[in-house]
Amino acid sequence: MSIVSVTSLQKCYQESVVLRDISFSVEEGEVFGIVGHSGAGKSTLLRCLNGLEGYDSGSVHVMGREVGDLDPAGIRLLRRDMGMIFQTFNLLSSLSVLENVLLPLRLWHVPAAEREARAGELLRLVGLYERRFERVSALSGGQKQRVGIARALALSPKVLLCDEATSALDPGTTISILDLLLDIRTSLGLTIVFVTHQMEAVKRACDRIMLLDGGQIQGTGPTDRFFLAPSEDLRRLVQDEYAQFPGGTNIRLWFPREIARDAVITSMARALDVDFAIVGGKLERYADDVRGFLVINVPDPDRERVLAYLEAKKLYWEVLGNE
Amino acid sequence: MSNLVSALLSFPAGVVDSLMRNQDALFPAFGETLYMVGASTVLSFALGFFLAVVMILSGPKGLNPAPRLYSVLDIVVDLGRSLPFIILIIAIMPFTRLVMGTAIGTTATILPLTVAAAPFAARLIEANFLEVDRGVIEAARSFGATNAQIVFRVLVPEALPAIALNVSVLGIALVGYSAMAGTVGGGGLGDLAYRLGYVGYETDVTLWCVILLVALVTVIQKAGNLIYSRLRPDA
Ligand SMILES: Nc1ncnc2c1ncn2[C@@H]1O[C@H](COP(=O)(O)OP(=O)(O)OP(=O)(O)O)[C@@H](O)[C@H]1O
Ligand SMILES: [Mg+2]
């Protein structure tokens, strides 16, 4: 039984359809990415999951409850079980770090001793216990998001909704926040729905992703499969930094875990007797292990032979657009 | 005029002398002004705060939109704000008499002052609530806050510095209103300046009234600024 399952969801604002025939499910304990361009409907979809947004037809089933059928009290109970973090953190500037984390506990009338203990524990988890009495305005973006995470976890939710949670942060801070999320996913058994347009965040954190464009699903599947054989849509999302080499054909070779990089390159060079240049490459971390790719530049006369070789060897590859 | 000029010419002895001569009239009048302004600030703030909460709940982007209720309040508040105070005080005299037993005097004046300032207060506080970041409200909803909790645990604390500043704006407006009320039967410095200063040609009384009013306004403004800067988290 999936912890979240959405079926044929449809949502309109006035006459414009923002979400069309959306169906997917999220399994307990996974990090599920919702990826797409600005305006694709990611935030709207995420907000349908905890009832911040209504929907016109279809079904949103979360933790055994049909969100559209809940009364206001039922919605609040659902939200108690679902934390949410935001791109702009959305902390109360009038409160200290500690008071921000205490707020949900106060609103749910958690006894004082218990709530102090819980807030302290969470602030230790996110590494801000020492700064608990400071104003949130004194914190950096990454630290604010850590407070946001602690606050979102205060009521011990089962699901954490993240709306562009790392999009306002620099790359280094993004990584540390993602690692924190992955840690708590494991230690707390959390399910995370992660909305983003950052490819780095997707690769690092998500087990599975769903591509959304114009309010419609373009594809759903395990993250590594998306990146090993990227679709047209995904490619449009990933800014391709290796597309600009003069002359010849740039080919990107993907290396899944089981293939040794060096062996492929050297054996191809030997077998075909072609000269090619390695013009780029990257080791990347997908969810839990390291994979990589190389971009090689092949002279045009050899292009067809190289492609035939790659095809025959059943490698993952793609020709990068030249210019 | 001659009194004023001679008072100024014989400064400072003349000033002290003038103050001594008029203190029996000035200080009770100042006390009355403080009483009127203080009471009506508290009451109009309370009423305005209540109206602002209802408006922020029922407003078009509110927590619990109720378009009809909001448009009624919207009109009432604008009407109350656009009515000149001197007209309002006369218009509601029968009502004042009904509620306070009399329409004349310092205490009776508190009612029209409150009625006049409450819509003003409501608008100021509503604007302060509207300035609170939507994202913060959304965050509160995301962990299951009720509308009442959002108002009192999120909007009020977040808007508090700005509201404190607006209380001083409200108080200062009421200093002006109270002086006007003095001329139609209220007490206070406005009444004194009118009776002794204008009708009775005692120009230095008028001058003293002005000085005391300016001092009062300054103190209220400074107090508001001080509270604001104390409450502002990032100031
Ligand atoms: N309150 C609203 N009223 C009308 N249209 C809206 C409203 N909120 C969102 N939309 C529209 O719905 C579409 C999807 O918006 P949404 O915020 O879900 O996109 P998004 O994928 O989260 O984009 P971004 O990456 O910029 O956050 C957009 O075209 C937007 O203009
Ligand atoms: Mg969005």
Side-chain angles (χ1 to χ4, degrees):
Chain A
M1 185 64 200
S2 310
I3 194 157
V4 172
S5 72
V6 173
T7 321
S8 311
L9 177 69
Q10 181 123 345
K11 160 92 187 163
C12 311
Y13 280 120
Q14 287 86 46
E15 61 279 355
S16 72
V17 184
V18 185
L19 296 173
R20 193 192 302 270
D21 195 26
I22 303 286
S23 300
F24 67 95
S25 54
V26 181
E27 305 308 322
E28 207 165 330
E30 76 173 331
V31 179
F32 185 81
I34 298 175
V35 186
H37 292 287
S38 185
K42 307 181 294 292
S43 298
T44 308
L45 177 55
L46 194 70
R47 293 154 50 82
C48 286
L49 300 185
N50 66 352
L52 284 175
E53 204 74 73
Y55 47 91
D56 299 302
S57 64
S59 147
V60 177
H61 212 69
V62 179
M63 288 180 275
R65 287 164 271 190
E66 180 62 41
V67 177
D69 293 345
L70 295 173
D71 60 2
I75 286 277
R76 287 205 310 280
L77 286 169
L78 176 76
R79 289 178 187 160
R80 191 176 60 173
D81 291 338
M82 299 179 87
M84 193 169 193
I85 58 176
F86 308 86
Q87 179 169 7
T88 49
F89 323 124
N90 300 347
L91 303 172
L92 275 76
S93 57
S94 55
L95 301 181
S96 68
V97 168
L98 177 63
E99 284 296 329
N100 265 283
V101 180
L102 284 172
L103 185 62
L105 297 160
R106 287 189 197 281
L107 299 192
W108 283 96
H109 309 294
V110 174
E114 196 180 318
R115 102 186 148 223
E116 297 291 332
R118 178 81 185 138
E121 176 192 325
L122 285 166
L123 284 170
R124 274 197 198 89
L125 178 70
V126 301
L128 285 172
Y129 186 74
E130 306 306 321
R131 307 192 63 177
R132 64 194 180 283
F133 298 121
E134 288 180 41
R135 296 273 199 185
V136 290
S137 56
L139 301 181
S140 70
Q143 289 165 340
K144 284 179 184 160
Q145 194 58 288
R146 285 169 185 272
V147 179
I149 291 170
R151 180 178 67 178
L153 297 177
L155 299 165
S156 309
K158 296 182 183 62
V159 179
L160 181 64
L161 306 176
C162 309
D163 193 353
E164 304 275 8
T166 55
S167 302
L169 306 174
D170 63 63
T173 313
T174 295
I175 288 174
S176 73
I177 292 291
L178 291 174
D179 289 350
L180 173 64
L181 289 174
L182 291 174
D183 277 355
I184 56 180
R185 180 267 293 263
T186 312
S187 59
L188 305 179
L190 216 56
T191 305
I192 298 180
V193 183
F194 194 90
V195 161
T196 188
H197 65 263
Q198 289 177 304
M199 284 308 126
E200 295 307 316
V202 170
K203 288 178 195 163
R204 194 173 187 89
C206 299
D207 301 313
R208 277 198 309 143
I209 58 175
M210 178 171 88
L211 266 186
L212 207 60
D213 197 25
Q216 280 175 292
I217 296 180
Q218 305 296 324
T220 312
T223 308
D224 54 358
R225 214 192 61 209
F226 262 90
F227 284 93
L228 290 174
S231 67
E232 210 30 61
D233 300 291
L234 183 66
R235 221 170 293 152
R236 272 194 285 127
L237 271 170
V238 186
Q239 285 151 6
D240 221 325
E241 61 264 55
Y242 297 102
Q244 312 258 345
F245 286 98
T249 302
N250 289 322
I251 301 170
R252 192 204 298 266
L253 298 169
W254 297 88
F255 299 104
R257 195 175 2 204
E258 58 275 11
I259 299 177
R261 270 181 299 283
D262 307 322
V264 173
I265 298 294
T266 48
S267 58
M268 181 167 79
R270 222 176 297 126
L272 300 178
D273 191 33
V274 292
D275 288 326
F276 55 77
I278 295 173
V279 294
K282 203 174 181 184
L283 285 178
E284 305 195 72
R285 201 183 127 169
Y286 301 108
D288 48 10
D289 58 329
V290 176
R291 324 260 169 100
F293 68 82
L294 281 179
V295 179
I296 57 172
N297 186 276
V298 183
D300 279 325
D302 296 318
R303 178 191 152 113
E304 291 317 314
R305 285 170 58 219
V306 170
L307 294 184
Y309 179 84
L310 294 174
E311 193 63 54
K313 292 284 178 189
K314 299 226 173 342
L315 295 171
Y316 294 107
W317 53 274
E318 60 173 319
V319 173
L320 300 177
N322 244 347
E323 183 52 12
Chain B
M1 193 61 199
S2 59
N3 267 345
L4 176 64
V5 172
S6 59
L8 287 174
L9 284 178
S10 54
F11 183 85
V15 174
V16 175
D17 180 49
S18 158
L19 187 60
M20 290 309 218
R21 208 161 6 89
N22 294 306
Q23 63 175 336
D24 289 346
L26 280 170
F27 290 123
F30 186 54
E32 283 170 11
T33 292
L34 286 182
Y35 168 58
M36 284 190 294
V37 170
S40 58
T41 300
V42 169
L43 291 173
S44 62
F45 176 78
L47 197 57
F49 184 85
F50 172 76
L51 285 172
V53 167
V54 177
M55 289 198 292
I56 204 74
L57 285 167
S58 65
K61 283 180 180 165
L63 298 167
N64 192 2
R68 218 173 285 155
L69 174 64
Y70 184 79
S71 57
V72 169
L73 285 175
D74 203 37
I75 291 170
V76 168
V77 163
D78 280 344
L79 211 77
R81 292 223 296 140
S82 56
L83 216 58
F85 179 61
I86 205 83
I87 309 269
L88 181 128
I89 202 173
I90 294 164
I92 69 164
M93 262 186 182
F95 177 64
T96 308
R97 206 168 286 127
L98 190 75
V99 176
M100 314 293 282
T102 171
I104 308 290
T106 310
T107 301
T109 307
I110 290 170
L111 186 80
L113 285 174
T114 300
V115 170
F120 181 50
R123 269 289 182 250
L124 291 176
I125 299 166
E126 186 200 17
N128 292 150
F129 284 158
L130 286 172
E131 271 165 26
V132 174
D133 185 3
R134 305 281 311 166
V136 176
I137 297 168
E138 178 132 314
R141 292 176 49 165
S142 82
F143 50 72
T146 63
N147 286 343
Q149 287 173 332
I150 289 174
V151 170
F152 293 103
R153 306 302 294 265
V154 177
L155 288 179
V156 170
E158 288 292 285
L160 202 60
I163 290 176
L165 204 54
N166 275 334
V167 171
S168 68
V169 171
L170 182 67
I172 288 166
L174 279 165
V175 170
Y177 285 174
S178 76
M180 230 187 288
T183 62
V184 288
L189 292 170
D191 172 50
L192 185 68
Y194 179 71
R195 272 191 298 108
L196 288 187
Y198 182 67
V199 179
Y201 295 106
E202 291 194 44
T203 314
D204 52 346
V205 171
T206 309
L207 188 64
W208 282 117
C209 288
V210 170
I211 290 169
L212 287 174
L213 288 171
V214 169
L216 181 57
V217 166
T218 307
V219 166
I220 294 173
Q221 184 66 59
K222 289 270 182 268
N225 290 346
L226 188 73
I227 294 170
Y228 177 76
S229 60
R230 281 287 159 81
L231 291 175
R232 261 306 280 261
D234 36 13

